[in-house]
Amino acid sequence: MNIESKLQYLRKARKLRAILPFHRRQVGGIDVLKEQYSEVQVFVKALFKQLKAQKFDIQVTHWGEIYLIEPVSVIHIRLSINYKVNADDIEQIKLALKSKDYIAAEGLGLAREQLCVSFCAYRPGTKWRYYPLDLTSQKYDELVAHVIAAIKVNVAQLSTTVRHELSKDIHQVRLDDLMALICYGAAKLGSESQLAHLSNNKELRFPICCKLVGHQLIFFGYYCKQHEFFLSPSSMKIFRMLLPEVGESEAEFV
């Protein structure tokens, strides 16, 4: 496993993260301020090195999702680094609500956020575990060891008879990815754009599959309904964010 190639793939996926607020599912990964990204990568590199030394496999998707594969039980772990509301503030709100019926918005005190590294087993119903990430420390050995130990403890509690594997090709662009891209393009290009028309078309909101043949986008719905669109240059530019070879080949999304 080449750690530098994993880090490079994460950097490459950064530009696609802007699309994710329009995605139907929550997609993990690294979401930090631009000026903090290089410092966060120092931590990620230290973490990946220790994971490699302990025989973990690491997979990164086209969205920049990070999956760690525990070597004994082959259980997949989702890893994220982003900002979370300070847990102490949440506890203060809970305590205050025990003696009050409500709290005024200006008194919530939820302005503080902290950068956290978090993980969750790729299983239904499992909880995320959060650990504050202090970028001023410059030394991450203790946090790395703590996170890996916590991962092992959580995995040890899970049954090895039921495994939730990733798809065979984690880099494959799927239908829900394409729909998120269309919604993003509609917001970026405006209400008069072709992608806004596609996004607002009720008949196209839940297609069963989609084909892209050259510049032609074909939606297939239930009862064999079919809708065809010839993509405009501005639409093609948006599509190339996720599909660099669009217009040159045929692709199907399910």
Side-chain angles (χ1 to χ4, degrees):
M1 177 179 64
N2 189 314
I3 292 176
E4 287 299 331
S5 67
K6 303 293 183 184
L7 296 176
Q8 183 179 8
Y9 210 84
L10 285 170
R11 290 193 292 269
K12 182 180 178 181
R14 283 187 65 199
K15 65 178 182 179
L16 297 179
R17 304 292 295 180
I19 301 170
L20 293 179
F22 301 91
H23 210 289
R24 292 175 181 172
R25 67 181 178 89
Q26 184 179 5
V27 180
I30 301 176
D31 292 296
V32 299
L33 298 174
K34 183 179 180 180
E35 56 268 24
Q36 291 183 320
Y37 190 82
S38 60
E39 297 175 83
V40 169
Q41 280 234 316
V42 174
F43 166 77
V44 173
K45 185 174 183 178
L47 178 62
F48 282 7
K49 281 185 175 180
Q50 286 302 312
L51 288 166
K52 180 179 180 180
Q54 299 191 38
K55 307 302 181 183
F56 278 74
D57 189 16
I58 301 170
Q59 296 292 332
V60 179
T61 72
H62 56 276
W63 289 121
E65 291 176 283
I66 304 170
Y67 287 91
L68 316 176
I69 297 89
E70 191 274 336
V72 178
S73 302
V74 198
I75 292 176
H76 294 73
I77 309 292
R78 292 180 288 178
L79 182 78
S80 287
I81 299 176
N82 48 30
Y83 302 94
K84 297 294 179 185
V85 175
N86 192 299
D88 293 337
D89 290 337
I90 298 296
E91 291 304 317
Q92 289 179 11
I93 294 296
K94 289 180 179 179
L95 288 173
L97 287 173
K98 288 183 178 180
S99 58
K100 300 178 181 180
D101 293 330
Y102 65 91
I103 301 175
E106 60 269 18
L108 286 178
L110 295 180
R112 292 192 301 164
E113 286 187 329
Q114 58 185 167
L115 185 62
C116 291
V117 53
S118 56
F119 70 85
C120 177
Y122 189 56
R123 296 288 184 87
T126 53
K127 296 181 179 180
W128 284 90
R129 311 288 179 177
Y130 300 94
Y131 302 89
L133 176 55
D134 181 9
L135 296 179
T136 63
S137 69
Q138 299 295 319
K139 295 181 180 179
Y140 303 115
D141 293 347
E142 184 176 347
L143 178 58
V144 165
H146 189 52
V147 170
I148 294 177
I151 289 175
K152 290 181 177 180
V153 169
N154 279 268
V155 167
Q157 299 173 357
L158 299 176
S159 170
T160 59
T161 58
V162 181
R163 296 177 182 175
H164 294 262
E165 300 286 344
L166 296 176
S167 61
K168 292 182 178 180
D169 185 1
I170 63 172
H171 303 296
Q172 181 180 358
V173 177
R174 301 188 178 280
L175 182 59
D176 58 352
D177 297 332
L178 193 72
M179 299 306 292
L181 181 67
I182 289 173
C183 290
Y184 166 81
K188 187 174 180 64
L189 299 178
S191 59
E192 300 301 319
S193 66
Q194 180 185 45
L195 294 184
H197 169 69
L198 296 181
S199 178
N200 294 327
N201 191 324
K202 294 182 179 179
E203 295 184 12
L204 304 180
R205 287 183 180 176
F206 300 102
I208 57 174
C209 69
C210 178
K211 280 187 178 181
L212 187 58
V213 183
H215 290 231
Q216 190 175 30
L217 185 65
I218 308 170
F219 287 96
F220 298 90
Y222 294 99
Y223 309 112
C224 298
K225 291 183 179 180
Q226 182 174 320
H227 302 269
E228 300 180 9
F229 302 90
F230 191 84
L231 294 176
S232 67
S234 58
S235 297
M236 292 290 288
K237 186 176 180 180
I238 293 292
F239 270 61
R240 287 193 178 98
M241 290 179 63
L242 188 60
L243 303 161
E245 297 180 358
V246 65
E248 302 174 2
S249 59
E250 180 176 333
E252 184 174 2
F253 312 92
V254 294

